[in-house]
């Protein structure tokens, strides 16, 4: 029996020796009863400097660091206790420091496994101790790298400018929330998006390709404009600045892109153009003469219509204030000057007066002048703007700019995460298909469920509500749940309080982690069954013969993604390395004395994984083989790459970025800050941030800002800053506190964007809007006059029609005929008004054309005599001059007849007895016509406006006789079209004489 035990012990030690020869770790065995080491591998000498015998003769307690000994004993005691309640051999892992022969300490990762006797009691312990000093140092460096990465990531994350990375094949990635907000996609969605095919309209392909080629060839950043397609389909105009990044071989790696949404700038520019266009159109379309005089200047601006009113063409003369005053009638000049001088020094800003201006042809034009005065801060007049108002000019409908706010609701039905909206009581208002599927709720169900019913334990719901009420949000809350059908689920929920339509709502994101939990439980159970050595090995171990795989451990299997059976007896370099060059490099390093080499292996899925490889030659199963250990360094490399990317993003950002300490002293600034404010690095570093203050903002403003950021809050607003050379800049700024791990503010990050141009656009837009509104106010008269003139006949038509349709009223035939005549007359009056409006509109818009034909004056007079034969008043005679010699005309017959007809109709309307006569005289190129009546005559005041639209010489009588007030205005326009002019001489109560002169012959257009 003793021989068997001895044979078994020798076999066991032989196995341990074989293992110890192939790994660098210390393998040891401990007798628990005596707490003495019964075996320790020779590798203890290379790690701690002691021989195996020296270690076994010494005390286990003395070899441990005092701080680590207590923790080690507690864990060993826990192992003893767990052996009584676990059917598996217990094991444990811990990190501790042990002494070296030179008196220093070495960090070891110790994995301990107990050996049980037949009664299930631990009698021995076997363990592996691995030197992790280098790993500890790497971990420390990695933490520093992660802290730097977090520092730069905070800068990018808080930046209001969207930032991304793009590749020539269309792949891309976004670096901050501003970029996701701009495009409307989530981070997961962006992994499936091609920035060229999916985000860029095709019309931009050629232009963008050209810019990117130039950027690559010149190795310089380029700025250009293009458009992106938002997730909703909305087109977003942007300005993008791309920086090409190259690898060590000079090949393009990627583009770093800084994106600026210029939607608001484009809107501002478009609105400004539209406002200017509306103002110019209003100025061209108005029938009022406009003038503008800057007080103190010699020249006066006169609009084309103003010049037309006094017979001049644009550019014909340059008018000064004195020359304009010379045109005023001698009887009016003193009054005008007095009013103007008094107005200039008075508190009034508006002046209205009437006077006459001398026409180019010598006669005077009556005008109604309205003046608006612009004053400075002291109340002194600096500018005067005036109009000669046409009271009946057609009113242009006011156009308003409606800025609608685009709203859209996030489409979440396609999300693979369950999403629900509930109130504070847990009642669910809305949920997507994924959530319903996860909880077993019918898809078409409209029943409102309570969130509480899906918790397996009510205490979990209570604790979740406490967290939500405390912080306003909860992230990744794991709990055991139950579906509507009773199925047990493991769920992870993240929730946040929101205010929607004035009420508190809870936005919940639910993920089913049941399979994950089950897998973790199975993994945990599986790990307890692993062999001691496989569990204790930290890195991937590969045993091979010139690449032919002989054995691997579980860590290597996980690292490369193949099953163990798939790997055995395969060529490692063919399935895990890139090419034959990797084989050569591997053996070259093996022959040298280097301890490790960075290389890359490829997993089963083709993923390239960077590793740190250590190799040596040893004996395995009687043959010389290579043993390699593989340490995955992906995290370290990614951290280094991220730091480089984030650093480049900050350095090349289009924003001015500055970091100060809590006292406001500048500790960092990027090149854009140097460019904007013209301070060099040496000039700015160590200086207070107040060096860029302009003094524009009050002390109270500065105090509120500092109070807010010192309280840990983000401040956003606008500054007026100045550069080193006193150049002023308006900037949009975001100042964010930077906190350490303990939540203490250590620095302030300020990101500033130059909005000086935007401010200028806004000011110009406001000024243009004021000018347009001022022009629109000059159109108010037309709608009021038209409303009155149209309602008058309409009231007659509607009133007598309703009277005739009343079944309770009985009318005689005479009354019916009389009422119908009234309706007919009002209808004719309304038709005449519409025709007049159309005619005057055509005249003013230049749409009325002359149709030239040959005819005689006698033809016109004959038609007039026939027209008025049955409409003459009993006591009024129509006298037409007899033609002794025929007068031939070559002009528009219809328009000539219309002029005669309008003047004769107007004369007959205001003549109750006497006569209306028509006389004419043939001149060399013109026909002179005189129409005289013995009617009521026209007052001197009325004569001033008789040819204006809606002007009536005898308003009281005209209301009785009917009339639109457009007839003489149309007549004047027709006479002008026929190449002539018209005027009136009248004495109130004694009759009137209208004279007009037209060309006898007009050329055909």
């Amino acid at each position: 029996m003793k021989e068997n035990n001895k044979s078994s012990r020798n076999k066991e030690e032989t196995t341990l020796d074989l293992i110890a020869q192939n790994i660098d770790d210390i393998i040891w065995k401990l007798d628990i009863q005596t707490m003495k080491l019964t075996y320790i591998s020779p590798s203890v000498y290379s790690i701690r400097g002691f021989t195996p015998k020296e270690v076994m003769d010494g005390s286990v307690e003395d070899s441990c660091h005092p701080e680590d000994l207590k923790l080690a004993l507690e864990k060993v005691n826990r192992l003893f206790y767990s052996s009584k309640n676990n059917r598996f051999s217990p094991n444990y892992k811990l990190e501790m420091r042990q002494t070296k022969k030179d008196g220093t300490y070495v960090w070891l990762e110790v994995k301990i496994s107990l050996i049980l006797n037949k009664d299930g009691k631990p009698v021995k312990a076997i363990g592996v101790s691995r030197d992790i000093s280098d790993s500890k140092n790497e971990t420390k460096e990695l933490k520093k790298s992660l802290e730097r990465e977090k520092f730069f990531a905070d800068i990018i994350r808080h930046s209001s400018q969207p930032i991304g990375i793009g590749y020539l094949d269309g792949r891309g990635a976004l670096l901050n929330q501003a970029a996701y907000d701009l495009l409307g996609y989530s981070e997961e969605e962006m992994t499936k998006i091609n920035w060229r095919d999916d985000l860029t309209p095709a019309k931009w392909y050629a232009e963008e390709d050209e810019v990117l080629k130039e950027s690559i060839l010149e190795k310089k950043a380029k700025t250009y404009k293009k458009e992106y397609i938002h997730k909703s389909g909305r087109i977003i105009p942007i300005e993008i600045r791309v920086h090409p990044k190259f690898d060590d071989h000079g090949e393009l790696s990627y583009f770093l892109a800084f994106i600026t949404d210029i939607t608001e700038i484009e809107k501002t520019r478009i609105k400004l153009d539209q406002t200017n266009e509306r103002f110019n159109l209003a100025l061209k379309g108005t029938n009022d003469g406009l003038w503008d005089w800057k007080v103190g200047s010699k020249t006066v601006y006169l609009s084309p219509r103003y010049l037309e009113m006094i017979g001049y063409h644009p550019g014909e003369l340059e008018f000064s204030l004195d020359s304009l005053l010379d045109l005023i009638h001698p009887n009016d000049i003193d009054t005008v000057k007095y009013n103007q001088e008094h107005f200039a020094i008075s508190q009034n800003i508006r002046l209205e007066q009437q006077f006459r201006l001398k026409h180019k042809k010598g006669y005077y034009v009556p005008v109604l002048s309205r003046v608006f005065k612009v004053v400075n801060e002291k109340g002194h007049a600096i500018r005067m703007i005036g109009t000669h108002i046409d009271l009946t000019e057609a009113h242009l409908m006011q156009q308003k700019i409606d800025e609608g706010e685009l709203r859209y609701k996030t489409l979440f039905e396609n999300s693979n995460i369950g999403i629900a909206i509930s109130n504070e009581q847990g009642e669910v208002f809305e949920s997507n298909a994924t959530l319903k599927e996860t909880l077993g709720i019918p898809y078409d169900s409209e029943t409102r469920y309570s969130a509480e019913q899906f918790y397996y334990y009510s205490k979990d719901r209570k604790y979740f509500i406490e967290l939500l009420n405390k912080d306003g949000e909860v992230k990744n809350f794991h709990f055991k749940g139950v579906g509507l059908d009773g199925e047990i689920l493991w769920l992870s929920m993240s929730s946040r309080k929101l205010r929607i339509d004035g009420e508190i709502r809870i936005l919940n994101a639910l993920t089913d982690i049941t399979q994950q939990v089950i897998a973790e439980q199975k993994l945990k159970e599986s790990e307890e069954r692993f062999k001691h050595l496989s569990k204790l090995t930290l890195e991937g171990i590969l045993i091979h013969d010139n690449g032919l795989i002989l054995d691997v451990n579980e860590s290597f299997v996980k690292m490369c993604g193949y099953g163990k059976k798939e790997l055995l007896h395969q060529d490692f370099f063919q399935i895990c390395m890139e090419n034959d060059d990797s084989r050569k490099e591997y053996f070259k390093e093996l022959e040298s004395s280097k301890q490790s080499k960075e290389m890359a292996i490829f997993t089963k899925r083709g993923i390239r994984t960077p590793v740190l490889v250590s190799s040596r030659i040893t004996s395995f199963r009687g043959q010389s083989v290579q043993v390699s250990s593989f340490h995955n360094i992906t995290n370290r490399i990614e951290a280094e790459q991220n730091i480089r990317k984030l650093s480049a993003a900050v350095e090349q950002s289009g924003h001015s970025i500055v970091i100060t300490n809590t006292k406001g002293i500048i500790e960092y600034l990027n090149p854009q800050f140097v460019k904007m404010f013209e301070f060099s690095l040496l000039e700015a570093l160590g200086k207070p941030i107040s060096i860029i203050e302009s003094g524009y903002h009050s002390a109270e403003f500065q105090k509120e800002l500092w109070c807010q950021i010192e309280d840990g809050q983000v401040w956003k607003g606008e500054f007026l800053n100045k550069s080193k050379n006193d150049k002023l800049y308006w900037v949009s700024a975001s100042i964010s506190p930077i906190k350490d791990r303990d939540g203490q503010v250590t620095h302030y990050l300020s990101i500033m964007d130059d909005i000086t141009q935007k401010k200028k656009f806004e000011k110009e837009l406001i000024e243009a809007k004021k000018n347009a509104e001022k022009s629109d106010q000059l159109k108010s008269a037309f709608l009021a006059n038209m409303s009155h003139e149209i309602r008058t006949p309409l009231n007659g038509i509607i009133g007598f029609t309703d009277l005739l349709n009343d079944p309770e009223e009985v009318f005689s035939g005479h009354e019916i005929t009389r009422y119908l005549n009234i309706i007919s007359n009002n209808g004719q009056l309304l038709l005449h008004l519409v025709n007049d409006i159309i005619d005057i509109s055509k005249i003013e818009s230049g749409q009325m054309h002359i149709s030239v034909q040959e005819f005689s004056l006698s033809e016109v007079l004959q038609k007039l005599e026939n027209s008025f034969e049955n409409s003459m008043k009993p006591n009024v005679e129509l006298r037409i001059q007899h033609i002794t010699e025929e007068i031939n005309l070559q002009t528009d017959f219809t328009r000539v007849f219309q002029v005669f007809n309008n003047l004769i109709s107007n004369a007959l309307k205001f003549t109750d007895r006497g006569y209306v006569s028509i006389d004419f005289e043939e001149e060399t190129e013109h026909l002179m016509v005189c129409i005289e009546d013995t009617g009521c005559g026209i007052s001197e005041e009325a004569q001033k406006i008789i040819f204006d639209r809606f002007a009536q010489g005898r308003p009281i009588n005209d209301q009785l006789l009917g009339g639109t007030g457009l007839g003489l205005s149309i007549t004047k326009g027709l006479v002008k079209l026929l190449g002539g002019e018209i005027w009136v001489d009248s004495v109130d109560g004694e009759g009137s004489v209208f004279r007009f002169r037209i060309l006898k012959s007009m050329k055909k257009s």
Side-chain angles (χ1 to χ4, degrees):
M1 188 70 175
K2 292 181 178 179
E3 291 178 356
N4 290 336
N5 291 337
K6 182 177 181 181
S7 174
S8 176
R9 184 168 60 255
N10 291 335
K11 184 177 180 180
E12 181 179 343
E13 291 178 356
T14 300
T15 301
L16 291 175
D17 287 337
L18 178 60
I19 295 173
Q21 291 173 5
N22 289 281
I23 63 175
D24 295 328
D25 302 338
I26 304 172
I27 300 176
W28 51 268
K29 188 166 63 175
L30 176 71
D31 187 325
I32 293 178
Q33 293 179 349
T34 63
M35 291 302 290
K36 285 286 187 178
L37 289 170
T38 60
Y39 173 82
I40 190 164
S41 64
S43 55
V44 69
Y45 181 79
S46 61
I47 294 176
R48 295 181 56 196
F50 294 103
T51 65
K53 184 176 184 309
E54 288 174 328
V55 174
M56 288 189 291
D57 290 343
S59 168
V60 173
E61 290 85 349
D62 293 340
S63 67
C64 298
H65 192 284
E67 295 179 2
D68 302 335
L69 181 60
K70 182 179 179 181
L71 178 63
L73 293 176
E74 289 177 354
K75 291 188 176 182
V76 171
N77 290 333
R78 197 177 298 122
L79 280 177
F80 290 166
Y81 176 77
S82 63
S83 67
K84 301 176 182 179
N85 300 281
N86 198 326
R87 64 180 183 276
F88 305 108
S89 176
N91 57 82
Y92 213 93
K93 179 176 72 173
L94 57 88
E95 293 181 357
M96 63 186 302
R97 289 163 287 184
Q98 287 192 331
T99 56
K100 296 176 67 175
K101 198 165 186 179
D102 60 6
T104 61
Y105 287 95
V106 60
W107 271 103
L108 299 176
E109 182 180 68
V110 182
K111 289 191 175 181
I112 306 170
S113 182
L114 299 182
I115 298 176
L116 311 179
N117 61 15
K118 295 181 180 180
D119 299 329
K121 295 183 178 180
V123 294
K124 294 180 180 180
I126 186 170
V128 176
S129 299
R130 182 174 181 78
D131 184 358
I132 60 171
S133 298
D134 292 340
S135 176
K136 279 287 186 179
N137 292 332
E138 276 188 22
T139 301
K140 180 183 273 187
E141 291 300 319
L142 181 58
K143 286 182 179 179
K144 291 182 179 179
S145 296
L146 290 176
E147 288 177 357
R148 291 185 62 199
E149 178 181 352
K150 181 178 182 300
F151 174 75
F152 287 111
D154 285 341
I155 295 177
I156 298 301
R157 188 161 46 250
H158 287 93
S159 175
S160 61
Q161 181 177 37
I163 303 174
I165 293 176
Y167 302 88
L168 285 179
D169 60 2
R171 294 178 297 112
L174 303 180
L175 296 182
N176 62 359
Q177 188 60 41
Y180 292 112
D181 294 341
L182 174 66
L183 298 177
Y185 291 97
S186 66
E187 184 174 359
E188 181 180 355
E189 289 172 327
M190 280 304 300
T191 61
K192 305 173 184 177
I193 296 298
N194 185 293
W195 64 263
R196 178 184 175 91
D197 299 338
D198 300 326
L199 297 181
T200 305
K203 67 179 181 179
W204 295 100
Y205 286 177
E207 182 179 339
E208 185 167 43
D209 288 345
E210 189 66 26
V211 174
L212 295 181
K213 287 179 183 178
E214 291 179 4
S215 178
I216 295 172
L217 289 175
E218 298 176 8
K219 293 188 177 181
K220 290 183 179 180
K222 294 289 183 180
T223 302
Y224 59 97
K225 292 182 180 180
K226 59 176 287 188
E227 293 173 337
Y228 270 148
I229 304 173
H230 190 271
K231 181 180 178 180
S232 64
R234 174 169 56 89
I235 298 297
I236 308 172
I238 65 163
E239 182 176 82
I240 184 169
R241 182 170 179 83
V242 293
H243 297 263
K245 297 300 175 182
F246 301 90
D247 58 21
D248 296 336
H249 304 291
E251 297 294 329
L252 179 71
S253 295
Y254 58 89
F255 283 102
L256 184 61
F258 297 88
I259 307 165
T260 302
D261 183 355
I262 60 174
T263 302
E264 292 303 320
I265 295 177
E266 287 296 303
K267 285 182 179 180
T268 301
R269 183 186 61 77
I270 291 172
K271 287 179 182 178
L272 183 58
D273 291 344
Q274 290 175 344
T275 302
N276 288 334
E277 181 181 6
R278 282 195 298 271
F279 177 74
N280 291 331
L281 289 176
L283 188 61
K284 292 178 181 179
T286 181
N287 194 44
D288 303 330
L290 305 178
W291 62 272
D292 185 2
W293 177 54
K294 185 177 181 181
V295 176
S297 66
K298 295 183 179 180
T299 58
V300 180
Y301 166 76
L302 303 178
S303 72
R305 172 57 184 153
Y306 192 107
L307 294 171
E308 181 185 350
M309 292 177 65
I310 56 177
Y312 294 93
H313 299 290
E316 187 173 353
L317 288 176
E318 182 176 347
F319 283 90
S320 65
L321 183 62
D322 293 336
S323 62
L324 188 60
L325 291 174
D326 290 340
L327 296 178
I328 299 176
H329 194 284
N331 295 340
D332 301 336
I333 185 64
D334 291 339
T335 302
V336 171
K337 285 185 175 180
Y338 174 80
N339 291 340
Q340 197 75 15
E341 292 171 358
H342 183 266
F343 172 64
I345 61 175
S346 70
Q347 297 297 320
N348 298 326
I349 61 172
R350 287 181 176 83
L351 170 67
E352 182 175 318
Q353 58 181 336
Q354 293 184 11
F355 53 86
R356 290 161 289 179
L357 282 177
K358 188 175 184 179
H359 193 273
K360 181 180 179 181
K361 294 185 177 181
Y363 61 89
Y364 286 89
V365 179
V367 296
L368 173 63
S369 175
R370 286 180 177 167
V371 185
F372 175 79
K373 178 175 65 178
V374 180
V375 299
N376 59 18
E377 296 178 352
K378 297 180 179 179
H380 298 159
I382 59 173
R383 187 177 181 182
M384 294 188 184
I385 303 170
T387 62
H388 290 175
I389 301 172
D390 188 339
L391 299 178
T392 58
E393 185 168 28
H395 179 68
L396 297 176
M397 297 298 294
Q398 182 177 357
Q399 298 177 354
K400 298 182 179 178
I401 300 173
D402 295 326
E403 294 185 0
E405 182 179 0
L406 297 176
R407 297 180 180 178
Y408 65 92
K409 181 181 179 182
T410 304
L411 302 177
F412 58 84
E413 280 301 324
N414 294 325
S415 173
N416 59 359
I417 297 176
I419 301 175
I421 298 176
S422 63
N423 59 17
E424 291 184 289
Q425 290 72 41
E427 184 180 13
V428 179
F429 295 98
E430 187 176 3
S431 59
N432 68 351
T434 302
L435 184 133
K436 291 179 179 178
E437 181 181 355
T438 300
L439 299 179
I441 300 173
Y443 181 78
D444 55 352
S445 173
E446 296 182 358
T447 304
R448 288 189 176 181
Y449 296 93
S450 171
E452 189 172 0
Q453 69 186 90
F454 300 105
Y455 282 77
Y456 189 88
Y457 298 111
S458 60
K459 63 180 181 179
D460 286 344
R461 174 64 181 175
K462 183 178 179 180
Y463 181 58
F464 170 81
I465 294 299
E466 289 177 358
L467 293 176
L468 184 63
N469 290 335
K470 178 182 178 183
D471 301 323
E473 65 175 351
V474 178
K475 294 183 178 179
N476 302 321
F477 182 83
H478 293 186
F479 65 97
K480 186 175 183 180
V482 57
L484 198 64
D485 54 2
E487 181 183 3
I488 301 300
L489 304 168
W490 282 96
L491 304 170
S492 175
M493 185 159 68
S494 296
S495 302
R496 174 179 291 181
K497 284 188 176 183
L498 302 173
R499 183 172 294 277
I500 302 177
D501 295 334
E503 295 185 6
I504 298 298
R505 293 288 183 262
I506 312 300
L507 177 62
N508 306 282
L510 189 73
T511 304
D512 185 356
I513 60 171
T514 304
Q515 295 302 320
Q516 176 185 338
V517 172
I518 293 174
E520 290 174 353
Q521 292 174 345
K522 289 182 178 179
L523 179 62
K524 184 177 180 180
E525 293 173 359
S526 176
E527 287 177 348
E528 293 176 351
R529 295 179 174 86
F530 287 170
K531 292 180 181 180
H532 297 161
L533 185 59
S534 297
K535 294 162 76 172
L536 297 174
T537 303
L538 301 175
E539 299 175 347
I541 303 296
L542 168 67
I543 302 175
H544 64 99
D545 182 8
N546 293 324
L548 182 65
I549 300 175
L550 302 177
D551 199 4
V552 295
N553 70 343
E554 289 300 320
S555 295
F556 186 85
V557 168
K558 293 178 181 179
M559 185 181 296
C560 65
Y562 291 95
K564 188 171 184 177
K565 292 182 179 180
E566 293 180 282
L567 291 171
L568 293 177
H569 310 298
Q570 299 296 319
D571 189 332
F572 164 71
F573 295 101
Q574 289 185 359
I575 64 174
C576 291
M577 288 291 188
E578 188 171 9
N579 48 45
D580 286 340
D581 292 338
S582 300
R583 182 193 299 269
K584 296 176 183 178
E585 183 179 356
Y586 172 84
F587 285 107
K588 181 180 179 181
E589 296 297 332
L590 186 62
E591 291 173 359
S592 69
S593 59
K594 292 183 178 179
Q595 294 182 351
S596 60
K597 171 69 176 178
E598 289 187 9
M599 303 181 70
I601 63 173
F602 288 85
T603 68
K604 184 177 181 179
R605 296 171 59 188
I607 299 174
R608 185 178 186 275
T609 304
V611 293
L612 186 66
V613 183
S614 299
S615 301
R616 67 176 178 170
I617 298 175
T618 188
S619 178
F620 178 71
R621 295 174 184 173
Q623 67 182 85
S624 180
V625 298
Q626 294 86 39
V627 179
S628 302
S629 65
F630 296 80
H631 175 59
N632 191 332
I633 58 174
T634 302
N635 290 338
R636 190 192 76 190
I637 291 178
E638 287 181 351
E640 293 172 352
Q641 291 175 344
N642 286 337
I643 289 173
R644 286 196 295 270
K645 289 179 182 179
L646 294 172
S647 178
V650 172
E651 288 292 315
Q652 301 180 29
S653 172
H655 290 292
S656 293
I657 299 176
V658 60
I659 298 175
T660 71
N661 61 18
T662 55
K663 302 298 183 181
I665 303 302
I666 298 174
E667 294 187 1
Y668 170 83
L669 48 91
N670 72 340
Q672 182 61 26
F673 182 95
V674 174
K675 180 179 179 182
M676 178 182 291
F677 295 106
E678 301 172 333
F679 288 99
S680 67
L681 288 174
L682 293 177
E683 289 175 326
L685 290 177
K687 299 295 192 302
I689 192 64
S690 59
I691 63 174
I692 63 171
E693 292 179 3
S694 65
Y696 175 81
H697 302 283
S698 65
E700 185 65 25
F701 175 89
Q702 298 287 353
K703 181 179 179 181
E704 291 180 2
L705 184 154
W706 279 97
C707 287
Q708 187 168 337
I709 61 176
E710 287 174 351
D711 196 37
Q713 302 179 48
V714 177
W715 184 92
K716 292 184 178 181
E718 296 180 353
F719 278 125
L720 181 62
N721 286 340
K722 70 174 181 179
S723 69
K724 176 183 176 181
N725 296 322
D726 294 331
K727 185 176 180 181
L728 296 177
Y729 289 95
W730 273 105
V731 297
S732 175
S734 173
I735 304 177
S736 307
I738 300 175
K739 301 179 181 180
D740 59 18
R741 291 183 176 180
D742 299 327
Q744 298 297 316
V745 176
T746 61
H747 293 81
Y748 297 115
L749 166 66
S750 177
I751 302 175
M752 293 174 283
D753 189 16
D754 186 358
I755 60 170
T756 306
Q757 195 65 24
K758 180 181 176 183
K759 284 281 190 179
K760 180 180 178 183
F761 283 152
E762 290 175 353
K763 183 178 180 180
E764 290 177 353
L765 179 61
I766 293 171
E767 184 66 24
K769 182 174 181 294
K770 289 180 179 178
N771 291 336
E773 289 175 348
K774 189 183 301 179
S775 177
D776 288 343
Q777 290 172 359
L778 303 178
K779 309 299 178 189
S780 59
F782 179 70
L783 186 59
N785 286 331
M786 287 303 303
S787 173
H788 170 73
E789 294 300 332
I790 291 175
R791 281 201 304 267
T792 299
L794 280 179
N795 287 338
I797 294 171
I798 295 171
F800 283 102
T801 301
D802 291 343
L803 187 62
L804 290 174
N805 285 332
D806 190 346
E808 297 181 0
E809 295 289 342
V810 179
F811 302 100
S812 65
H814 173 73
E815 289 177 320
I816 292 174
T817 301
R818 177 169 170 262
Y819 294 160
L820 289 175
N821 286 335
I822 293 173
I823 293 173
S824 176
N825 291 336
N826 279 283
Q828 291 297 325
L829 179 59
L830 186 58
L831 177 61
H832 182 66
L833 174 61
V834 172
N835 288 334
D836 282 352
I837 293 172
I838 293 173
D839 284 345
I840 196 65
S841 297
K842 286 183 177 180
I843 292 171
E844 292 299 327
S845 63
Q847 299 299 315
M848 180 169 285
H849 303 289
I850 297 300
S851 177
V852 179
Q853 62 187 97
E854 293 184 3
F855 58 94
S856 64
L857 179 60
S858 60
E859 294 178 55
V860 178
L861 298 177
Q862 183 61 48
K863 185 174 181 180
L864 286 170
E865 191 172 358
N866 295 337
S867 297
F868 291 100
E869 183 177 1
N870 298 321
S871 59
M872 295 297 296
K873 296 179 181 179
N875 299 321
V876 178
E877 177 186 2
L878 178 62
R879 300 175 181 176
I880 301 177
Q881 177 182 338
H882 178 67
I883 298 178
T884 57
E885 185 176 347
E886 189 62 71
I887 299 175
N888 294 318
L889 303 174
Q890 189 178 8
T891 183
D892 191 323
F893 178 88
T894 302
R895 300 308 174 191
V896 172
F897 176 79
Q898 188 175 354
V899 170
F900 275 96
N901 185 72
N902 285 353
L903 292 174
I904 294 171
S905 298
N906 201 57
L908 290 173
K909 182 165 60 175
F910 294 103
T911 303
D912 294 329
R913 63 177 60 251
Y915 63 87
V916 174
S917 66
I918 303 173
D919 297 298
F920 46 85
E921 179 183 349
E922 184 177 14
E923 299 176 350
T924 304
E925 295 182 357
H926 294 84
L927 175 66
M928 179 70 175
V929 180
C930 175
I931 298 176
E932 182 179 357
D933 65 67
T934 57
C936 60
I938 306 170
S939 67
E940 184 177 352
E941 289 298 320
Q943 290 179 47
K944 297 177 183 179
I945 60 171
I946 193 68
F947 292 108
D948 292 344
R949 276 172 270 169
F950 287 95
Q952 298 168 336
R954 307 287 293 185
I956 298 177
N957 292 337
D958 209 22
Q959 292 173 11
L960 298 174
L961 298 173
T964 65
L966 291 175
L968 290 177
S969 179
I970 294 172
T971 301
K972 179 181 178 180
L974 292 174
V975 169
K976 185 176 180 181
L977 282 173
L978 294 171
E981 57 183 343
I982 184 172
W983 64 95
V984 62
D985 292 315
S986 179
V987 177
D988 194 10
E990 297 181 10
S992 304
V993 179
F994 283 85
R995 294 181 176 86
F996 67 89
R997 179 187 289 111
I998 61 174
L999 287 171
K1000 292 191 297 181
S1001 176
M1002 300 186 68
K1003 294 181 181 180
K1004 292 186 178 180
S1005 59

